[in-house]
Amino acid sequence: MLTVQPDAVRSWFQPERPGPLVFEHVARTGHGRVRVDRWPDPRVVVAEVPGNISLRGDPTHLPTAELATLSGFVDAPPEWLPALRAADPDVAVWDRVIAVLPDTVASPPPDPGVRLLTPDDAPALADLSAESAWIAETWAGVAGMLAARVARAVIVDGRAASIAVPFYTGGTYEDIGVITEPAHRRKGLSTACASALISDIRGRGHMPTWSTSPDNAGSRGVAERLGFVHERNDVLYALRTPVPTS
C-alpha cells in the first residue's frame, strides 16, 4: 500500500456528508494517513486515524496482509462486509444515528464555566478515565487536541470534568464528540460544553453534526436538548475492537 496526499483521491469521498468524516479529518488536520493499493489508477483507498477507518473501492484489491493490520471502527459501503468478516469472523455491526443542527436553531448563550482548551491545560487532562480517553484519538492524542485549540471543557478542581471537540472536521460539517467523567455526570456539563462548541463550529462557517448509538439515551438526550434533528441511520463495522456499551 502506498501513502498519498489526500487531495489526490478526494473524489473517492465526495460528496461530503454528516457522520464519520475520516478522510476529511485526515486531509484538513494532517493527523492520520491516506493509502492506495497502487498509483496511478488506485482500486482501493484507505483513510485512517487511530481507531477509525474509511474504506472505498473494490475490497478484492485490498491485500489480505494489509487488512490484517487494520482495527477499529470502519466506515465502508455494505459490499465491504464479507471481506471484513473474512479477516475477522467476530466483526460486529454497530448501528449509528446521524443528526444535524439546522441553521434555524439558535445558538445557546455562552456558559461562563466552559472554556477553550490550550496546551497549558495538559495537566488537567493527564488522568482522563479509560472510558473517556477516546475523545482525543482523532487528534493523535491529548497533545494534538490541545495544540489544535478546538476543544471546549469544564475544569473542576484542576481536572477536566467534561470535554467537547470536533471528533471529525470537514469542509462543510464538524461531528461533535463529547465526554463527561463519571463523577460529574447528570449536571448538564455535556450540554454546556457541546453548546460552546456549536458556536465555534458555526463561527467557522460549518454545520454541527452528532453521531451516536440508538441505545445511547444520554447522548441522544443531549443532542435533542441542543436541537439536533435526525438525518439518517447508518452503521460502522467494529473490526477487531469491541462495540462500546452505553
Side-chain angles (χ1 to χ4, degrees):
M1 296 287 284
L2 306 172
T3 300
V4 298
Q5 291 299 313
D7 283 346
V9 292
R10 183 176 295 280
S11 63
W12 288 65
F13 296 89
Q14 291 182 334
E16 184 181 318
R17 65 174 187 164
L21 299 168
V22 177
F23 171 82
E24 287 293 336
H25 192 80
V26 174
R28 294 174 185 279
T29 69
H31 295 301
R33 60 181 178 174
V34 177
R35 296 184 296 152
V36 297
D37 65 314
R38 67 182 186 185
W39 192 261
D41 302 322
R43 298 163 297 187
V44 174
V45 182
V46 181
E48 54 187 315
V49 292
N52 301 270
I53 304 157
S54 282
L55 301 173
R56 297 293 187 271
D58 183 346
T60 64
H61 291 293
L62 181 62
T64 302
E66 292 292 339
L67 188 53
T69 68
L70 298 177
S71 64
F73 300 111
V74 179
D75 160 48
E79 58 265 27
W80 276 88
L81 185 53
L84 296 174
R85 281 186 168 147
D88 173 17
D90 295 322
V91 69
V93 178
W94 189 21
D95 290 324
R96 307 294 287 158
V97 176
I98 313 298
V100 299
L101 188 65
D103 293 339
T104 53
V105 176
S107 295
D111 185 321
V114 179
R115 61 183 177 86
L116 189 71
L117 293 178
T118 74
D120 292 339
D121 291 303
L125 278 70
D127 59 354
L128 280 177
S129 66
E131 63 185 289
S132 297
W134 64 267
I135 195 67
E137 65 184 6
T138 59
W139 294 92
V142 168
M145 182 178 72
L146 295 180
R149 299 174 187 258
V150 291
R152 290 280 181 173
V154 172
I155 307 297
V156 177
D157 296 329
R159 294 289 180 264
S162 185
I163 302 169
V165 69
F167 195 70
Y168 299 113
T169 183
T172 300
Y173 304 104
E174 295 189 34
D175 200 59
I176 294 174
V178 61
I179 60 95
T180 297
E181 290 284 60
H184 298 283
R185 291 176 182 167
R186 296 182 175 83
K187 300 176 183 178
L189 300 187
S190 289
T191 301
C193 289
S195 295
L197 186 59
I198 286 167
S199 295
D200 294 342
I201 292 170
R202 285 175 161 173
R204 291 188 282 269
H206 294 164
M207 177 176 282
T209 71
W210 195 278
S211 302
T212 191
S213 305
D215 61 350
N216 191 333
S219 178
R220 295 189 70 174
V222 172
E224 290 169 4
R225 284 192 291 276
L226 292 168
F228 284 84
V229 298
H230 180 268
E231 196 269 340
R232 74 178 191 278
N233 294 329
D234 207 341
V235 299
L236 293 174
Y237 304 118
L239 180 67
R240 302 186 184 92
T241 194
V243 171
T245 56
S246 300

